[in-house]
Amino acid sequence: MVRLLAALFAWLNTLHVARALENGQGLMPPMGYSSRSDCSTEVTEWRIKNVTLSLIETGLAAKGYVYVNIDEGWLAGRNVTTGKIYANPHKFPSGIKALADWVHDQVVPGKGNIMKIGLYTSRGTCQCSTNTYHGPGSQWHVSEDAHWLGYAGMDYLKEESCCSSQNHSVAIREYENMRDALDATTRFTNRSVFFSVCGRGSWYAPVGASLGNSWCVAKHGSHWGALSNSINENAALWNFSRPGAWNDPDLLQGTGVGSNDLPQNPRGCYDPRQAPHTHDWYVTEEQSRAQFSMWAVMSAPLLISADVGQVSQYSLETWGNEEVIAVSQSFVRGGPYQGQRLFGEDLKFDKRSAKGKGVNVWGKKLPCGSFALVFINNNNEASDVLCDMWCFEQMVEADVTQYSMRDLWARNNTGTLKKPFSYTALQVPKHGGVVMLRFKVISTWPVREVSPHTKYRIGRRCDSTVGEV
């Protein structure tokens, strides 16, 4: 299957050659919030303001979660005379521009005015609809909508594919139209926009960097089974990620607390009885931690789709783990910029039957000879997950003889590992259990002189790794 996908991607590249997108955005995977799985289509100005303040108050904003993205549900319609779009005045009484100004004015202690805001549209005639929401898309109004977005102060735009042609050539051309229109807005706004292409298919990956700063690689990952599929899809796409252009396996899912509990919680977003499309959404806290581990090692966008002002302390500790965030935001010079599956086959999980299958080991190379490993288990029982000598060979440098090990979730040092390298994560919990380790070089074999005063490379110095490219 991997070989077939590679052949398909190579063929697609011969069909279409486009200029690369160089807008200076997304040099590291973006971090922030999205309303999509939090509020479905019931997002409001009140919600966006409260989430913004919660990101700041919890300390998440200072750790990099600066985007506050409004997904579907915000738009009321399009003026039949002028063609301009306008927000729902009941949900957004101040208007989008005033809300954007408010978000930009918020101060993150020690960081200043770093908060950003994003919006949503579709390249088709309509936005993705539900039984409670219908809104027009940007088709035939691309320049007008891009100009409106620029005037409103948007920093991020997610464009879906609803109500549009699924022909690959047509899809590429329509995304190019919005890309170019957004680029043109910088001439009068001096504000470059992160462009998220959400066609939801792995075939976008070979041309993704020419279209946007990220591209969705799979269908909506609203529960652990779908997220497992997103991981599987992304396994073959690692070589397409780079600074400014990232594979996007979907949003960071919450548990539903504060989202679909409106009947019991006045701060909830919606009543699930009135939103049947959400019936299988959300994950457990443990699965959320597994997702965060995998998204970090895959260098994926980290966009939390839950109200961080209402989630548990466990969830805040998951998304706020700075050592895991550092794995997401750190790279070796020249790549690869996305982690790879080192062992295992596709992960399976059926939400209805609560049965799954498969274990994986994923690894991501980090600066100074370091690397991170994620051991994940989808079996129906706790399982030992092994990374053997062959597994380690894909990560280690030939002259390294010893590594220190640190458990990034237990937050403790777990000893050293010497040649021949092999490690077993014992009894990893079922259905999304995870262990995440970071390995740092302690010592190496003697090597040829690399300077008049250095004959050995021992304990390679690594003062700062975050963002090194």
Side-chain angles (χ1 to χ4, degrees):
M1 178 59 72
V2 172
R3 291 181 178 178
L4 288 174
L5 282 172
L8 174 61
F9 294 151
W11 176 71
L12 281 169
N13 275 329
T14 66
L15 294 181
H16 187 85
V17 179
R19 69 174 178 85
L21 177 65
E22 299 293 348
N23 61 1
Q25 295 297 303
L27 297 182
M28 291 184 285
M31 301 171 62
Y33 162 86
S34 170
S35 67
R36 194 263 170 184
S37 296
D38 180 25
C39 287
S40 181
T41 58
E42 304 311 305
V43 59
T44 63
E45 176 180 325
W46 179 86
R47 185 66 154 204
I48 293 301
K49 287 186 174 181
N50 276 279
V51 167
T52 302
L53 294 175
S54 294
L55 287 170
I56 296 171
E57 292 166 0
T58 58
L60 290 174
K63 294 178 180 180
Y65 293 92
V66 297
Y67 284 101
V68 185
N69 294 340
I70 306 167
D71 211 274
E72 62 192 33
W74 68 273
L75 185 60
R78 189 180 297 279
N79 186 294
V80 294
T81 303
T82 66
K84 288 186 177 181
I85 49 179
Y86 57 93
N88 185 312
H90 300 292
K91 294 181 178 179
F92 295 87
S94 300
I96 298 297
K97 186 180 187 306
L99 177 58
D101 290 342
W102 181 90
V103 170
H104 291 146
D105 285 342
Q106 301 311 299
V107 177
V108 178
K111 303 288 185 177
N113 303 107
I114 61 172
M115 300 305 294
K116 301 178 182 294
I117 191 167
L119 215 54
Y120 166 98
T121 188
S122 173
R123 63 181 174 86
T125 56
C126 73
Q127 293 192 356
C128 299
S129 303
T130 67
N131 62 340
T132 59
Y133 174 72
H134 304 276
S138 291
Q139 195 166 99
W140 304 313
H141 296 275
V142 174
S143 295
E144 299 162 80
D145 289 359
H147 183 92
W148 189 93
L149 291 162
Y151 171 77
M154 291 302 104
D155 303 289
Y156 187 112
L157 178 66
K158 170 184 172 182
E159 187 172 45
E160 286 260 24
S161 277
C162 292
C163 305
S164 58
S165 170
Q166 301 306 303
N167 176 276
H168 292 187
S169 296
V170 173
I172 290 171
R173 184 172 65 252
E174 290 181 348
Y175 279 125
E176 286 177 334
N177 291 340
M178 181 57 80
R179 173 203 68 191
D180 295 343
L182 291 173
D183 185 55
T185 66
T186 62
R187 300 171 189 171
F188 68 90
T189 64
N190 198 32
R191 183 186 298 278
S192 184
V193 178
F194 184 106
F195 187 31
S196 170
V197 172
C198 277
R200 303 208 170 274
S202 58
W203 70 268
Y204 283 95
V207 295
S210 72
L211 302 177
N213 301 110
S214 67
W215 48 89
C216 300
V217 301
K219 294 181 179 180
H220 280 303
S222 301
H223 54 81
W224 184 240
L227 292 171
S228 294
N229 180 67
S230 295
I231 294 169
N232 300 335
E233 292 283 351
N234 209 17
L237 309 177
W238 60 270
N239 57 321
F240 297 114
S241 277
R242 62 169 177 79
W246 306 103
N247 292 310
D248 183 358
D250 219 327
L251 305 170
L252 296 174
Q253 292 294 318
T255 63
V257 173
S259 297
N260 66 342
D261 54 3
L262 182 59
Q264 299 83 31
N265 174 15
R267 296 175 63 193
C269 258
Y270 65 92
D271 184 339
R273 295 170 297 184
Q274 299 173 0
H277 62 285
T278 68
H279 75 279
D280 62 352
W281 284 11
Y282 307 118
V283 295
T284 67
E285 289 184 326
E286 292 76 15
Q287 289 166 348
S288 175
R289 183 159 290 186
Q291 182 193 10
F292 193 63
S293 304
M294 286 302 308
W295 265 230
V297 84
M298 294 191 299
S299 303
L302 302 179
L303 298 172
I304 300 168
S305 204
D307 181 356
V308 298
Q310 299 191 68
V311 299
S312 68
Q313 186 61 33
Y314 184 97
S315 293
L316 290 178
E317 290 172 358
T318 294
W319 297 321
N321 187 317
E322 292 174 289
E323 295 182 79
V324 178
I325 292 171
V327 171
S328 162
Q329 306 285 295
S330 303
F331 316 98
V332 293
R333 295 184 183 277
Y337 297 101
Q338 176 176 305
Q340 301 171 54
R341 182 159 58 188
L342 310 179
F343 170 78
E345 298 181 348
D346 282 356
L347 298 169
K348 305 292 184 183
F349 183 74
D350 181 75
K351 183 176 176 66
R352 293 185 179 181
S353 65
K355 292 183 178 180
K357 181 180 180 181
V359 297
N360 275 189
V361 180
W362 282 67
K364 180 181 178 181
K365 292 185 177 181
L366 302 170
C368 308
S370 299
F371 59 92
L373 293 183
V374 173
F375 302 76
I376 191 165
N377 176 31
N378 261 20
N379 287 335
N380 295 322
E381 61 282 323
S383 302
D384 294 348
V385 184
L386 167 67
C387 185
D388 60 14
M389 288 172 50
W390 181 88
C391 174
F392 268 93
E393 280 180 3
Q394 301 170 78
M395 291 285 107
V396 302
E397 297 183 9
D399 61 321
V400 178
T401 61
Q402 189 174 11
Y403 289 96
S404 66
M405 297 188 299
R406 181 167 176 82
D407 187 319
L408 300 189
W409 289 118
R411 297 196 181 212
N412 58 35
N413 299 322
T414 57
T416 59
L417 192 67
K418 299 179 181 180
K419 274 192 170 182
F421 298 118
S422 180
Y423 184 86
T424 301
L426 299 174
Q427 292 298 286
V428 180
K430 65 180 183 179
H431 298 164
V434 70
V435 172
M436 188 172 188
L437 302 175
R438 180 164 182 155
F439 296 79
K440 289 188 177 182
V441 176
I442 295 178
S443 61
T444 67
W445 291 113
V447 297
R448 294 178 180 178
E449 287 192 6
V450 294
S451 79
H453 307 291
T454 306
K455 294 184 180 180
Y456 302 90
R457 289 182 291 175
I458 300 175
R460 299 170 194 187
R461 186 171 180 179
C462 192
D463 295 325
S464 177
T465 64
V466 177
E468 182 172 346
V469 295

